[in-house]
Amino acid sequence: MTTGLRERKKAATRQSLHDAAVLLAAEHGVESLTVEAIADAATVSRRTFSNYFASKEQALLHHDRARTIRLVELIRARPARESLMAAVIGAAEQHSTEFAADPEQEERYRTLRLHPALLPELVATYAAAERDLAVAAEERLPAGPDTPLRAQVLAATLLAAFRVVGQTALERRERDVVDLLRQALAITREGFC
Amino acid sequence: MTTGLRERKKAATRQSLHDAAVLLAAEHGVESLTVEAIADAATVSRRTFSNYFASKEQALLHHDRARTIRLVELIRARPARESLMAAVIGAAEQHSTEFAADPEQEERYRTLRLHPALLPELVATYAAAERDLAVAAEERLPAGPDTPLRAQVLAATLLAAFRVVGQTALERRERDVVDLLRQALAITREGFC
DNA sequence: TTCCCGTTGGGCAATCTTGCACAGTGGGAA
DNA sequence: TTCCCACTGTGCAAGATTGCCCAACGGGAA
């Protein structure tokens, strides 16, 4: 909120490129989408597009990447005394209040997210988040010889749960993600205990 | 129309600063207007404002300056065979089709334009246009010993007529400026012949 | 196959914007 | 009066955008 003008404008440009990409892809198909068209729609040069995203796939999936990065950020920022699960729940609560998006844009995004051409990028996004979350998780686990493994497994399973919750929420047009997440965590616990 | 992105964005920023200045001045008065407020409203830094305008007065009167500059430009661009008067009429015709503005903005501008604090700037604007027009007029007058004087007088009287026509059109919410201008020119002719 | 062309990613210089610093100004309170 | 403070204009460096460049890639026509 107290960020400078420069930072705010960068965020706005990135968002505007993402929005333009999603809109154009929904209108004319992911296949026929070009970087130039996205840049034009965002009133930005083709070169500037490259300064923000390495590919149109990244631009299209920026929403997912931003969300996951933010989630890990929020988990990290929870009080150190909280257990991993408590931190995750707490962060999810905060997380669900952010990212208020235009319903129509969300609708378009929903139909595009799982397009085959985007899956590699989507997988890479979650893989990166998984690595980051594993690091963060390690700090909230009791030290022990198998802590790294446990952190990785928990990061993977937590993100998997998150992925399903997010997908389900998207399909059900559900806003209250926290309840869904609690359910998912309970299910995981039951399944493994 | 075929201008580059950079140029278009500069024009947009200049226009946006002008619009913000007019809006804020109409809302809170010319006296309490600050450069910082204008820059903020245009989502631009205070330093950037200074890159476009030397003062808030210039920002407020940008519309007049742009219009007069454009008018002289159009007069210059008329075919060389046209007489001065024909060129002026032709240019005025083209001119009246440009500068389509938001009615509300025009309303605000109308109440501000003649504010005492802006008069020096307004006078300077017309003086500059007068010099430019005199140069342009000279090229359309038959050569003679008194051509420079005639060019200056005609430039001054033409712009005076224009000023009155513009003011009248603004007050009458009149779009068809050409007819008014023809009337004005006729009046001048009658008055001096 | 070979060639052509649209698309892409990125290097580079020119230009524009931002953020910061500093001096000058003018108005109002002490 | 003197001091204070908001506002302004401008120099400067860092960062961002643009425009132009070229090399690489892939799909389709000859």
Side-chain angles (χ1 to χ4, degrees):
Chain A
M1 195 57 93
T2 174
T3 68
L5 178 58
R6 180 169 265 155
E7 239 178 314
R8 273 182 287 143
K9 282 201 169 182
K10 282 211 78 170
T13 300
R14 182 170 271 110
Q15 186 66 38
S16 149
L17 281 168
H18 167 69
D19 289 347
V22 170
L23 182 60
L24 291 175
E27 273 181 354
H28 308 115
V30 174
E31 309 302 337
S32 60
L33 185 63
T34 73
V35 169
E36 186 168 12
I38 301 172
D40 283 355
T43 332
V44 140
S45 74
R46 187 171 69 86
R47 192 63 187 78
T48 296
F49 176 94
S50 291
N51 293 340
Y52 282 90
F53 298 109
S55 66
K56 38 178 187 279
E57 288 76 18
Q58 271 195 22
L60 282 168
L61 292 180
H62 165 65
H63 190 65
D64 269 64
R65 179 171 293 258
R67 276 180 69 96
T68 55
I69 287 177
R70 180 63 178 147
L71 177 66
V72 175
E73 238 179 57
L74 288 173
I75 293 175
R76 277 187 180 288
R78 300 294 300 182
R81 54 177 162 71
E82 287 189 352
S83 73
L84 177 56
M85 286 299 161
V88 165
I89 298 276
E93 240 162 76
Q94 299 176 258
H95 194 255
S96 64
T97 68
E98 305 180 358
F99 295 94
D102 171 24
E104 294 184 30
Q105 184 75 356
E106 203 158 276
E107 188 63 27
R108 285 189 282 266
Y109 192 62
R110 200 163 58 80
T111 67
L112 291 173
R113 228 173 61 102
L114 300 182
H115 189 287
L118 305 182
L119 287 186
E121 188 61 36
L122 193 59
V123 170
T125 296
Y126 276 101
E130 210 173 288
R131 280 193 299 276
D132 293 348
L133 180 53
V135 173
E138 214 168 318
E139 298 166 4
R140 292 185 189 273
L141 291 179
D146 63 341
T147 304
L149 177 60
R150 289 174 58 220
Q152 286 177 40
V153 170
L154 287 176
T157 49
L158 278 170
L159 268 187
F162 244 108
R163 211 156 44 228
V164 173
V165 165
Q167 180 69 23
T168 304
L170 207 53
E171 281 167 5
R172 295 192 191 166
R173 277 83 167 167
E174 176 69 72
R175 291 162 313 294
D176 189 2
V177 186
V178 182
D179 258 16
L180 269 176
L181 182 63
R182 282 216 174 81
Q183 280 186 43
L185 295 183
I187 290 169
T188 309
R189 188 163 38 237
E190 289 165 15
F192 285 87
C193 293
Chain B
M1 195 58 93
T2 174
T3 68
L5 177 59
R6 182 168 262 155
E7 240 178 313
R8 272 181 288 143
K9 282 202 170 182
K10 282 209 80 169
T13 301
R14 182 170 271 108
Q15 186 65 39
S16 149
L17 282 168
H18 167 69
D19 289 347
V22 171
L23 181 61
L24 291 175
E27 273 180 354
H28 308 115
V30 174
E31 309 303 336
S32 60
L33 185 63
T34 73
V35 169
E36 185 166 13
I38 300 173
D40 283 354
T43 332
V44 139
S45 73
R46 187 172 70 87
R47 190 63 185 78
T48 295
F49 175 94
S50 291
N51 294 341
Y52 283 90
F53 298 109
S55 66
K56 36 177 187 282
E57 287 77 17
Q58 271 194 22
L60 282 169
L61 292 180
H62 164 66
H63 189 67
D64 270 64
R65 179 169 293 258
R67 275 180 69 96
T68 55
I69 287 177
R70 179 65 178 147
L71 177 66
V72 175
E73 237 179 58
L74 286 173
I75 292 176
R76 278 186 181 289
R78 299 294 301 182
R81 55 179 162 69
E82 286 188 354
S83 73
L84 177 57
M85 286 300 160
V88 166
I89 298 276
E93 240 161 77
Q94 299 176 257
H95 195 256
S96 65
T97 69
E98 306 179 358
F99 294 95
D102 172 22
E104 294 184 29
Q105 184 74 357
E106 203 158 278
E107 188 64 25
R108 285 189 281 265
Y109 192 62
R110 199 162 60 80
T111 66
L112 291 174
R113 226 173 62 100
L114 300 182
H115 189 286
L118 305 182
L119 288 185
E121 188 62 37
L122 192 60
V123 170
T125 296
Y126 275 101
E130 209 172 290
R131 281 192 300 276
D132 293 347
L133 181 53
V135 174
E138 212 167 320
E139 297 165 5
R140 293 184 190 272
L141 291 179
D146 63 342
T147 304
L149 176 60
R150 290 176 57 223
Q152 285 178 40
V153 171
L154 287 176
T157 50
L158 278 170
L159 269 188
F162 245 107
R163 212 155 45 229
V164 174
V165 165
Q167 180 70 23
T168 305
L170 206 52
E171 281 168 4
R172 296 192 191 168
R173 277 81 167 170
E174 175 69 72
R175 292 163 312 295
D176 189 3
V177 185
V178 181
D179 258 16
L180 268 177
L181 181 63
R182 282 214 174 82
Q183 280 186 44
L185 296 183
I187 291 169
T188 310
R189 186 162 40 237
E190 290 164 15
F192 286 87
C193 290

